[in-house]
Amino acid sequence: MTLAKRILEGDIRAASRLMRDIDDRVPSALGLLKELYPKTGRAYIIGITGPPGSGKSTIVDKMVDIFRKEEKSVGIVAVDPTSPFTGGAILGDRIRMQRHATDEGVFIRSLATRGCLGGLSRSTQDIVNVMDAMGKEIILVETVGVGQDEVEIVNTAHTSIVVLVPGLGDDIQAIKAGIIEIGDIFVINKCDREGADKMERDLRLVLEMARKREDGWEPPIFKTEAILGKGIFELVYGIYRHRQALEQNRTMERKLRERAKATFLEILETEVMTHLIEKLEKEGRWETIIDDLVNRRADPYSLVEEIMAEELTKGH
Amino acid sequence: MARKIRVLIAKPGLDGHDRGAKVIARALRDAGMEVIYTGIRQTPEQIANAAIQEGVDMVGLSSLSGAHMSLFPKVVQILKEKGAEDIIVFGGGIIPVDDIPELKKAGIREIFQPGASTEEIIKYIQENVKTT
């Protein structure tokens, strides 16, 4: 059986190996991704973002219980930061989810950002696609916990959940612009803590003041105590309501077009850059370019124009 | 481009002393590896499944409870059953010297005893994982 076929039939070992190749940017992974792409687009993808320690992994863990009771197969991608100093990473999100490790219907994969900003890793979308091709019905993507700028998730997820907790400094501070705009659903976790009600009021105010969404969806706020499983059922049904709304008012179609565009642009950018950098390296022009710039013999704008002109006239 | 080394550090069995495991995890990270840490009180099934799903090169097992003779070989065995015998398993913790030959016969490739330096462990991993 071919590797692609094995993955389509849900073979964990084959899928896991491909994910490794994707993450390590092994060229042969591309061939498989090409084969799998037509079979993707069936999974429902849920993004979870929020500051470190807000309970994202625990919320994911408890939501999986409900999805599994409904007999849905689940994929989880959990992203943690790579150390910029050593290139290493400790990926610990699994700790909270390990009780699902022996459930054949749950596939958990931890990823390191490997220098990518925005809360995900470069390979995240491709790895989500592999899970999708494996037949996972629900895919949960947990971003790095930063809290202000990890908005990349909107390009990957159908429903984006923002998790907040009371008592992490100034409450409004925790509710910055970017993160407000990406949330389809908000969760105030650890809601037994002091300040939860105030946080809810503040958040509601911020949401009311926010720009009205084109799709007419008004993001709900759920209060949870994830460690005890409180509020998780309501959260999951909030996700289902959002999904229904997406499908009813054709927002889904727009979202899918936006995502396709983002994916295409990202691959195009990477390919063009890699190609051009290789060319300059092969022609041994790096040092000359840098020398010319430092000594002001040339300006970077003209040099780029020159290189682009060379490329574009090639073969004509 | 060189492959990034991925290692799972796990604590099978019932003892809750994970200081050693955490020290190793940190040292491996500082050596540029990606370390998946699964926490304490893991069954061999949980560890083997995590290793496969995470696509790791190696699994490092730590045990201080004395149950290594049954738990370590079990992990190797399940990996083998699931067609993942290429994942190298090594161990550490409180393990009597006399137990080492039997563990090695059961497929645990290396045992680090108390007093082993983190450098030794890092070197062992780097020399035994193909990164190209």
Side-chain angles (χ1 to χ4, degrees):
Chain A
M1 200 176 353
T2 68
L3 214 49
K5 192 126 188 283
R6 278 172 60 194
I7 293 168
L8 289 171
E9 286 181 4
D11 184 314
I12 291 167
R13 184 87 177 121
S16 171
R17 279 200 169 132
L18 172 59
M19 289 177 189
R20 183 71 193 274
D21 286 348
I22 292 169
D23 219 13
D24 287 342
R25 309 187 85 72
V26 176
S28 64
L30 266 187
L32 269 172
L33 282 171
K34 286 179 194 167
E35 269 185 83
L36 296 179
Y37 188 83
K39 310 282 187 190
T40 61
R42 293 174 299 181
Y44 196 77
I45 302 159
I46 302 163
I48 295 109
T49 189
S54 54
K56 296 183 293 294
S57 304
T58 307
I59 291 173
V60 167
D61 175 65
K62 301 290 180 184
M63 288 202 294
V64 170
D65 283 337
I66 297 173
F67 294 133
R68 292 301 294 147
K69 258 182 217 136
E70 295 173 350
E71 289 175 9
K72 295 187 170 88
S73 61
V74 178
I76 300 167
V77 181
V79 190
D80 265 332
T82 294
S83 155
F85 302 108
T86 66
I90 291 183
L91 310 174
D93 291 324
R94 259 195 110 91
I95 296 177
R96 322 251 180 266
M97 312 172 189
Q98 260 305 81
R99 61 198 181 91
H100 299 293
T102 49
D103 179 348
E104 294 287 329
V106 181
F107 187 121
I108 308 170
R109 181 71 168 208
S110 314
L111 294 179
T113 51
R114 299 196 182 181
C116 188
L117 302 173
L120 301 177
S121 76
R122 273 165 85 167
S123 57
T124 304
Q125 181 65 57
D126 288 336
I127 283 170
V128 165
N129 281 348
V130 176
M131 288 191 177
D132 190 339
M134 282 174 84
K136 297 294 171 202
E137 295 163 275
I138 300 277
I139 299 171
L140 295 147
V141 182
E142 178 183 335
T143 77
V144 163
V146 185
Q148 300 193 350
D149 209 25
E150 67 275 27
V151 296
E152 279 293 308
I153 189 67
V154 285
N155 288 328
T156 300
H158 297 111
T159 299
S160 297
I161 301 174
V162 174
V163 183
L164 302 165
V165 272
L168 279 187
D170 181 2
D171 287 350
I172 288 292
Q173 175 72 13
I175 310 174
K176 294 225 174 176
I179 207 132
I180 282 298
E181 282 153 40
I182 64 158
D184 298 309
I185 290 176
F186 289 84
V187 172
I188 299 176
N189 191 33
K190 308 188 187 181
C191 69
D192 55 319
R193 284 199 188 175
E194 198 186 313
D197 292 335
K198 183 180 179 300
M199 181 170 225
E200 189 186 6
R201 282 196 303 276
D202 289 350
L203 179 56
R204 213 172 285 284
L205 191 70
V206 173
L207 287 174
E208 276 163 15
M209 289 191 308
R211 190 169 53 92
K212 202 160 172 52
R213 292 172 52 136
E214 283 168 38
D215 57 9
W217 173 258
E218 293 178 1
I221 303 169
F222 294 98
K223 289 204 281 188
T224 59
E225 239 183 292
I227 198 96
L228 302 176
K230 280 189 195 165
I232 301 297
F233 191 78
E234 290 78 357
L235 170 60
V236 168
Y237 278 84
I239 296 170
Y240 292 162
R241 271 211 309 285
H242 182 239
R243 179 180 193 166
Q244 233 172 17
L246 277 183
E247 278 160 0
Q248 272 164 11
N249 61 18
R250 296 190 56 205
T251 316
M252 186 68 105
E253 196 190 314
R254 208 184 65 218
K255 219 167 178 143
L256 295 181
R257 293 189 66 85
E258 272 166 21
R259 187 200 303 167
K261 187 172 143 195
T263 305
F264 180 73
L265 281 177
E266 198 187 303
I267 295 168
L268 184 67
E269 198 180 303
T270 312
E271 284 300 306
V272 170
M273 282 294 288
T274 316
H275 173 73
L276 289 177
I277 288 170
E278 263 171 21
K279 166 191 151 87
L280 293 177
E281 266 168 6
K282 211 161 39 195
E283 296 171 353
R285 287 164 71 183
W286 268 126
E287 286 307 311
T288 332
I289 290 174
I290 307 293
D291 283 344
D292 285 352
L293 289 177
V294 172
N295 297 316
R296 298 296 187 271
R297 277 192 298 265
D299 67 90
Y301 315 101
S302 310
L303 285 182
V304 168
E305 270 175 13
E306 226 173 83
I307 292 159
M308 289 309 294
E310 285 168 27
E311 272 308 290
L312 295 172
T313 51
K314 206 165 62 181
H316 287 282
Chain B
M1 203 171 80
R3 275 176 178 272
K4 182 80 78 178
I5 297 176
R6 270 169 84 90
V7 181
L8 177 80
I9 296 293
K11 276 200 57 69
L14 295 175
D15 78 276
H17 304 283
D18 60 350
R19 179 100 175 262
K22 281 178 177 161
V23 168
I24 301 299
R26 210 149 36 209
L28 301 186
R29 175 201 57 196
D30 292 345
M33 302 177 195
E34 285 180 4
V35 184
I36 292 103
Y37 184 63
T38 50
I40 54 172
R41 302 202 176 96
Q42 297 287 301
T43 65
E45 286 81 7
Q46 282 176 311
I47 294 169
N49 283 353
I52 292 170
Q53 290 174 6
E54 296 290 355
V56 295
D57 303 296
M58 285 202 187
V59 177
L61 301 171
S62 158
S63 168
L64 306 178
S65 68
H68 51 270
M69 291 306 271
S70 66
L71 296 172
F72 286 12
K74 196 84 200 287
V75 174
V76 175
Q77 187 201 325
I78 299 170
L79 284 173
K80 203 171 164 189
E81 279 165 18
K82 299 195 177 222
E85 59 272 3
D86 58 308
I87 299 176
I88 296 170
V89 179
F90 65 95
I94 308 215
I95 291 159
V97 187
D98 294 347
D99 288 350
I100 295 178
E102 200 175 322
L103 287 172
K104 286 203 169 165
K105 222 168 76 195
I108 291 96
R109 294 271 289 273
E110 193 57 82
I111 296 288
F112 294 95
Q113 292 199 282
S117 69
T118 51
E119 287 80 15
E120 251 175 86
I121 299 172
I122 290 164
K123 195 161 158 259
Y124 168 76
I125 297 173
Q126 284 167 342
E127 281 173 359
N128 287 280
V129 171
K130 271 186 257 149
T131 53
T132 47

